[in-house]
């Protein structure tokens, strides 16, 4: 039954139709066989009645006189007629129940008891062609001038009627099987044609490879039927999904530049402070070119400051790269993120907790770009939520071939709209950025999941990435 449930509709419906046709054919065949049996029984009863009535008229006086030779001669002549060819044996007895004559004297001797021959015989009204016995036995009274003067026992050969019934059964079976096969095949072709739009719709929905595709105009049925409206509705939905995806992509891109703008303002302070020291060092070198130790100290200061500026600009450029998806994740990526987020932490006077323990074998299975974007967005949201003087934390660790990233803050907690963006695929409500939805999309793309907790005044967002990552039951 379960295997039948997995069959496509274009096969199940013709099979159901074929089963109903088999049932109807079986009932119709039964009715035909019953009608044929009724006709055959009427023919045999009519023939037997004519045989008995004819013998009664011819043999009545002979039986009264017990004229054995005349009775035998009459029986032989009657058996040679057209009706008598079906009568393979006829025996006549007098009123005493003793046989006077029979068409086969050796089988039924004269003066034998007619009762021995009449065992299993049926009356005229009960005579019926049935079963596998090709011989019917009839027991009828011999009536002459209104009174019974003897008995007649006749055996009838009905083998031809049984053959006719078997042939009719075979023809019915073959005819029904042929009709069922032809009509089932025609039904299959018709259903395939009628369900072709549904098959096309199912294929378009299951073979999207990440993006739904509209049904071509040639695949939409003509007219304004249900299937045509279904196909047009699906194409409208595909267009709406594509428009929504494009809008979300643009919003995500906007959010990315907003985040970079926030970082740029912080990095400007990070770069501006060392520049003052570097300018002082150059002034010192100009003013004291004849003092080697002062020049050396100033040069060292210049070297350290320039190296720091180089690191800051390298990290900023690395974060802004769009073709970073193929590079593997490493511990240095988290150090870059720490350097990027440090100006924001310092500006708001936040306390930053940082713990990164990575296994190279696990980390190298993940692309650096998406992971960096996930962590940066969560850290920026944590900084905004913690407010001035708060505490944020990042913990990254590997285990069981998975990477666990946990970002926490001591803010007031995330509103429901933010949680919907982070934890569900609900449509984005007006207002607010899409950074949290970007985190969800990137996590889903890496086959991971997100867990939100609020314990003891601390909000914790945990992202689990890696093979076989499945969200725990709610």
């Amino acid at each position: 039954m379960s295997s039948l449930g997995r069959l496509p509709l274009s096969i199940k419906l013709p099979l159901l139709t074929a089963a109903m046709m088999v049932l109807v054919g079986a009932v119709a065949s039964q009715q035909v066989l019953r009608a044929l049996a009724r006709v055959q029984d009427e023919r045999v009863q009519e023939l037997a009645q004519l045989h008995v009535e004819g013998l009664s008229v011819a043999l009545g006086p002979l039986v009264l006189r017990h004229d054995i030779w005349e009775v035998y001669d009459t029986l032989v002549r009657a058996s040679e007629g057209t009706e008598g060819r079906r009568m393979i044996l006829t025996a006549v007895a007098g009123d005493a129940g003793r046989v006077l004559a029979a068409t086969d004297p050796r089988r039924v001797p004269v003066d034998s008891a007619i009762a021995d021959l009449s065992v299993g015989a049926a009356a005229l009204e009960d005579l019926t062609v049935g079963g596998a016995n090709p011989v019917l036995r009839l027991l009828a009274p011999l009536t002459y001038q209104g009174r019974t003067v003897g008995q007649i026992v006749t055996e009838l050969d009905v083998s031809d009627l049984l053959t006719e019934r078997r042939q009719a059964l075979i023809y019915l079976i073959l005819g029904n099987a042929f009709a069922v096969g032809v009509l089932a095949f025609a039904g299959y072709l018709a259903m395939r044609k009628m369900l072709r739009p549904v098959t096309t719709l199912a294929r378009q929905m299951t073979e999207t490879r990440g993006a739904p595709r509209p049904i071509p105009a040639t695949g939409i049925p003509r007219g304004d039927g249900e299937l045509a409206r279904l196909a047009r509705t699906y194409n409208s939905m595909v267009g709406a999904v594509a428009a929504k995806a494009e809008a979300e992509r643009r919003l995500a891109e906007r959010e990315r530049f907003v985040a970079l703008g926030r970082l740029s303002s912080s990095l400007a302070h990070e770069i501006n402070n060392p520049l003052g020291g570097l300018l002082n060092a150059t002034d010192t070198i100009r003013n004291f070119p004849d003092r080697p130790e002062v020049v050396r100290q100033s040069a060292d200061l210049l070297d350290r400051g320039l190296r720091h500026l180089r690191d800051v600009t390298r990290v900023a450029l690395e974060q802004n790269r769009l073709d970073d998806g193929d590079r593997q994740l490493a511990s240095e990526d988290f150090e870059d993120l720490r350097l990027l987020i440090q100006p924001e932490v310092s500006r708001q006077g936040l306390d930053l907790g940082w713990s990164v323990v990575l296994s190279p074998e696990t980390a190298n299975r993940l692309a650096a770009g998406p992971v960096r974007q996930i962590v940066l967005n969560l850290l920026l949201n944590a900084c905004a939520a913690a407010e001035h003087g708060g505490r944020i934390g990042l913990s990254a660790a590997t285990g069981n071939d998975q990477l666990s990233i946990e970002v926490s803050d001591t803010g007031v907690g995330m509103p429901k709209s933010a949680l919907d963006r982070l934890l569900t695929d609900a449509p984005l409500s007006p207002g607010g950025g899409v950074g949290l939805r970007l985190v969800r999309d990137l996590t889903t793309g890496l086959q991971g999941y997100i867990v939100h907790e609020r314990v003891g005044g601390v909000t914790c967002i945990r992202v689990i990435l890696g093979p076989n990552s499945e969200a725990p039951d709610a």
Side-chain angles (χ1 to χ4, degrees):
M1 192 67 178
S2 59
S3 59
L4 181 61
R6 290 193 293 266
L7 291 176
L9 192 62
S10 59
I11 294 180
K12 285 194 291 188
L13 286 181
L15 286 179
L16 179 61
T17 304
M20 296 178 64
M21 291 179 58
V22 169
L23 179 61
V24 173
V27 174
S29 299
Q30 186 68 20
Q31 296 298 324
V32 170
L33 291 177
R34 286 182 180 178
L36 178 61
R38 185 168 59 253
V39 171
Q40 289 180 340
D41 291 344
E42 291 175 355
R43 287 170 53 191
V44 170
Q45 291 175 5
E46 181 180 1
L47 179 62
Q49 184 176 4
L50 292 175
H51 179 68
V52 170
E53 290 177 353
L55 289 179
S56 296
V57 172
L59 296 177
L62 303 178
V63 171
L64 289 175
R65 296 196 307 265
H66 289 79
D67 192 342
I68 297 175
W69 291 107
E70 288 295 332
V71 171
Y72 175 75
D73 183 63
T74 302
L75 290 178
V76 171
R77 283 188 285 107
S79 63
E80 292 175 352
T82 304
E83 295 83 0
R85 293 177 183 177
R86 190 177 293 278
M87 313 301 173
I88 58 178
L89 174 67
T90 301
V92 177
D95 55 359
R98 311 303 294 184
V99 175
L100 296 177
T103 54
D104 188 356
R106 288 178 295 183
R107 180 181 171 189
V108 185
V110 176
D111 202 34
S112 61
I114 195 67
D116 297 337
L117 184 62
S118 62
V119 176
L124 181 63
E125 62 273 9
D126 298 330
L127 197 63
T128 177
V129 180
N133 190 0
V135 177
L136 299 181
R137 185 170 294 173
L138 168 67
L139 174 63
L142 194 155
T143 305
Y144 181 69
Q145 294 182 350
R147 65 190 182 96
T148 302
V149 297
Q151 292 177 311
I152 299 176
V153 174
T154 299
E155 291 183 350
L156 296 88
D157 182 9
V158 294
S159 58
D160 59 330
L161 300 180
L162 292 177
T163 301
E164 181 183 5
R165 188 175 298 186
R166 283 193 297 268
Q167 290 177 347
L169 177 61
I170 293 174
Y171 291 153
L172 286 172
I173 293 176
L174 293 178
N176 287 336
F178 178 76
V180 169
V182 170
L183 293 179
F185 182 70
Y188 169 74
L189 296 179
M191 288 302 301
R192 282 291 298 271
K193 184 177 181 180
M194 288 188 293
L195 293 177
R196 188 175 300 161
V198 178
T199 304
T200 302
L201 176 61
R203 183 171 61 251
Q204 296 295 102
M205 295 178 67
T206 56
E207 299 179 0
T208 58
R209 299 185 183 275
R213 295 178 299 173
I215 299 176
T218 55
I220 300 178
R222 298 179 180 178
D224 194 33
E226 294 83 355
L227 295 178
R229 292 198 298 269
L230 177 63
R232 296 190 188 101
T233 302
Y234 170 77
N235 282 352
S236 300
M237 291 175 58
V238 170
V241 169
K244 177 177 177 292
E246 178 63 19
E248 290 187 355
R249 186 192 65 79
R250 292 180 180 178
L251 287 174
E253 189 69 17
R254 187 190 70 178
E255 183 71 13
R256 183 172 180 275
F257 285 113
V258 169
L260 289 175
R262 293 170 58 186
L263 286 175
S264 298
S265 62
S266 298
L267 289 175
H269 293 285
E270 188 73 10
I271 294 173
N272 188 52
N273 292 333
L275 282 178
L278 295 179
L279 292 174
N280 290 332
T282 56
D283 289 341
T284 301
I285 292 175
R286 289 194 190 98
N287 295 329
F288 304 98
D290 55 344
R291 297 178 60 179
E293 67 280 1
V294 175
V295 173
R296 187 181 305 108
Q297 291 176 356
S298 298
D300 292 340
L301 178 60
L302 282 171
D303 182 71
R304 289 194 300 272
L306 291 173
R307 289 179 182 276
H308 177 71
L309 293 178
R310 181 198 63 185
D311 293 340
V312 171
T313 53
R314 179 186 62 81
V315 172
L317 290 173
E318 187 72 20
Q319 186 63 29
N320 196 32
R321 287 181 60 185
L322 299 179
D323 57 349
D324 199 26
D326 295 334
R327 188 171 62 80
Q328 295 175 333
L329 182 68
S331 299
E332 290 77 8
D333 291 295
F334 285 92
E335 295 303 321
D336 292 347
L337 292 171
R338 185 173 186 177
L339 184 60
L340 279 173
I341 203 65
Q342 188 61 49
E344 187 73 10
V345 171
S346 300
R347 186 176 65 83
Q348 297 193 35
L350 301 175
D351 183 13
L352 175 62
W354 198 272
S355 174
V356 177
V357 181
L358 299 183
S359 168
E361 292 79 6
T362 302
N364 288 345
R365 296 193 183 101
L366 298 171
V371 177
R372 288 167 64 106
Q373 194 70 26
I374 289 172
V375 176
L376 180 60
N377 276 277
L378 291 178
L379 286 174
L380 289 174
N381 278 278
C383 290
E387 299 180 346
H388 188 79
R391 175 178 175 81
I392 68 171
L394 175 115
S395 174
T398 54
N400 298 326
D401 291 335
Q402 295 177 341
L403 171 63
S404 174
I405 302 170
E406 183 176 304
V407 177
S408 60
D409 66 79
T410 56
V412 296
M414 300 178 65
K416 183 179 183 303
S417 59
L419 288 176
D420 289 341
R421 293 170 183 268
L422 182 65
L423 303 178
T424 71
D425 292 321
L428 296 177
S429 57
V434 293
L436 294 177
R437 177 53 58 87
L438 180 62
V439 169
R440 174 172 178 78
D441 292 342
L442 291 174
T443 302
T444 304
L446 294 175
Q447 298 181 345
Y449 64 92
I450 303 173
V451 178
H452 167 265
E453 293 179 346
R454 175 75 179 174
V455 180
V458 177
T459 300
C460 178
I461 304 297
R462 184 179 301 108
V463 179
I464 307 299
L465 304 174
N468 303 321
S469 296
E470 296 183 0
D473 296 334

